[in-house]
């Protein structure tokens, strides 16, 4: 019986050391599922040109506006305040279509649909830094045979 009590005490002690040991980092608590705040890999200018999925900026963004420049084509401007960045998400694209997202005075970030494998999925442009989703703009140049370049602001103009 005495051996069982010693073994139980040793197991309890080991469990306590694992849970409260000095090697346990504070960061471990931040990675617990159900955490209310996502951890983004960038913010503002550090997001410019980066991928929304890899940076976790595309987890719960705001939809800024939706545009339909051609039948079957949908272009959404999206924004994540936690990343301080916006981008365009496209559906129904064809090989050779080009999508460029920008803010006033900034360099556009471009996505060109390279092949047939990129036509049946949702694609994203690289991100651009902005504090205001209303500053976003997307320009669409459809593949040969389509209309010329069309540009859309974040929100349609007021009537």
């Amino acid at each position: 019986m005495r051996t069982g009590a010693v073994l139980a005490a040793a197991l309890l002690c080991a469990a306590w050391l694992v849970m409260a040991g000095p090697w346990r980092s504070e960061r471990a608590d931040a990675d617990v599922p159900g955490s209310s705040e996502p951890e983004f890999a960038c913010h503002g200018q550090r997001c410019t040109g980066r991928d929304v999925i890899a940076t976790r900026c595309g987890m719960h963004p705001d939809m800024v506006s939706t545009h339909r420049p051609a039948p079957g084509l949908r272009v959404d401007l999206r924004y994540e305040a936690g990343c301080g960045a916006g981008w365009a998400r496209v559906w129904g694209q064809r090989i050779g279509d080009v999508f460029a997202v920008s803010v006033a005075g900034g360099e556009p970030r471009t996505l060109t649909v390279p092949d047939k494998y990129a036509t049946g999925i949702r694609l994203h442009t690289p991100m651009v830094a902005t504090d205001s989703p209303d500053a976003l703009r997307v320009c669409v140049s459809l593949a040969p045979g389509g209309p010329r370049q069309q540009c859309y602001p974040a929100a349609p103009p007021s009537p």
Side-chain angles (χ1 to χ4, degrees):
M1 289 264 192
R2 187 175 171 126
T3 305
V6 170
L7 182 60
L11 286 173
L12 255 164
C13 199
W16 179 82
L17 284 172
V18 168
M19 297 302 290
W23 53 84
R24 182 183 166 122
S25 74
E26 292 176 19
R27 179 147 168 73
D29 292 333
D31 293 335
V32 173
S35 173
S36 62
E37 293 296 318
E39 287 190 36
F40 302 115
C42 63
H43 184 81
Q45 287 300 323
R46 291 185 38 221
C47 286
T48 296
R50 294 186 65 189
D51 179 73
V52 299
I53 304 301
T55 58
R56 295 182 296 282
C57 292
M59 290 173 49
H60 303 288
D62 292 329
M63 178 77 76
V64 177
S65 62
T66 297
H67 308 279
R68 299 185 186 275
L73 177 61
R74 177 176 167 166
V75 180
D76 298 330
L77 278 171
R78 298 168 69 88
Y79 174 76
E80 173 54 62
C83 290
W87 62 93
R89 176 178 68 178
V90 302
W91 308 2
Q93 63 276 7
R94 297 180 312 165
I95 299 169
D97 288 351
V98 179
F99 304 91
V101 67
S102 63
V103 294
E107 180 182 335
R109 298 300 168 162
T110 304
L111 163 72
T112 301
V113 180
D115 54 38
K116 69 179 182 178
Y117 303 107
T119 61
I121 59 175
R122 292 182 206 164
L123 297 177
H124 302 88
T125 65
M127 293 185 286
V128 293
T130 183
D131 292 331
S132 171
D134 294 336
L136 292 168
R137 169 183 147 136
V138 62
C139 292
V140 179
S141 298
L142 299 177
R148 293 183 177 203
Q149 184 182 55
Q150 304 166 65
C151 294
Y152 304 94
S158 301

